[in-house]
Amino acid sequence: MASYKAEIDVMTTFDSEDNSWRKREKRNIGSLYVYQANSDLAAGLAMLSYTVTTPPANKLIESAISVARRTKKVDAYIIDSLASDNGGMIAPFSLIGYIRVYDPSTPILALSYDCSPETVKAAFRYGATSFLPRPQSLELIQSVV
């Protein structure tokens, strides 16, 4: 598995002519909605210059619906199979179904440790456009998105 880029590599550049470090202008390369349980994926994508929206743990469904209903939508969603809302587990990938009600066309990447045929079928049945097993390198996730 490839490692995340260090924040100093993303945010600075060295100028060999005057032997100094300069802060790079951070350019936004896309807008993502990321829900992944117990992961630093959102932080890694933010360091690569994505604008990342993450939901609060206790209002997962409400947050996903709110983002999906916005007129200025995200470029892609990244959704983990395991999710809980208000303290209770929800069906694997059902969050994708809530998003699809209000946003039928934006790409959704589904992630899961469980790669059984039933789990993969569930992701696509709810409306995922792609599926990757967890854990996965940041570079591969970025290329799929």
Side-chain angles (χ1 to χ4, degrees):
M1 184 164 100
S3 62
Y4 289 80
K5 290 185 179 181
E7 187 171 0
I8 195 164
D9 294 334
V10 175
M11 300 303 296
T12 60
T13 186
F14 186 73
D15 186 340
S16 59
E17 289 183 16
D18 65 4
N19 290 329
S20 66
W21 287 94
R22 292 187 183 153
K23 187 174 181 180
R24 269 191 234 163
E25 289 298 316
K26 190 173 181 181
R27 60 182 177 88
N28 181 3
I29 59 175
S31 178
L32 303 173
Y33 179 90
V34 177
Y35 170 72
Q36 188 175 20
N38 304 320
S39 175
D40 58 351
L41 176 63
L45 291 167
M47 284 193 298
L48 292 176
S49 298
Y50 285 97
T51 299
V52 178
T53 302
T54 56
N58 61 342
K59 295 185 178 186
L60 183 61
I61 295 170
E62 182 181 324
S63 170
I65 290 172
S66 174
V67 170
R69 292 176 78 176
R70 286 188 201 157
T71 54
K72 181 182 179 268
K73 298 183 180 188
V74 295
D75 297 318
Y77 298 88
I78 300 175
I79 304 297
D80 195 346
S81 63
L82 297 176
S84 63
D85 192 49
N86 290 322
M89 293 300 290
I90 61 175
F93 296 121
S94 62
L95 187 59
I96 295 172
Y98 289 104
I99 293 168
R100 283 292 180 231
V101 168
Y102 298 99
D103 187 353
S105 60
T106 302
I108 298 176
L109 169 59
L111 301 171
S112 181
Y113 285 113
D114 181 3
C115 297
S116 67
E118 294 80 23
T119 301
V120 176
K121 286 178 189 175
F124 287 110
R125 185 174 51 249
Y126 277 114
T129 51
S130 53
F131 180 93
L132 288 175
R134 283 184 67 188
Q136 204 51 257
S137 71
L138 185 60
E139 289 81 13
L140 181 59
I141 290 173
Q142 185 179 19
S143 69
V144 171
V145 170

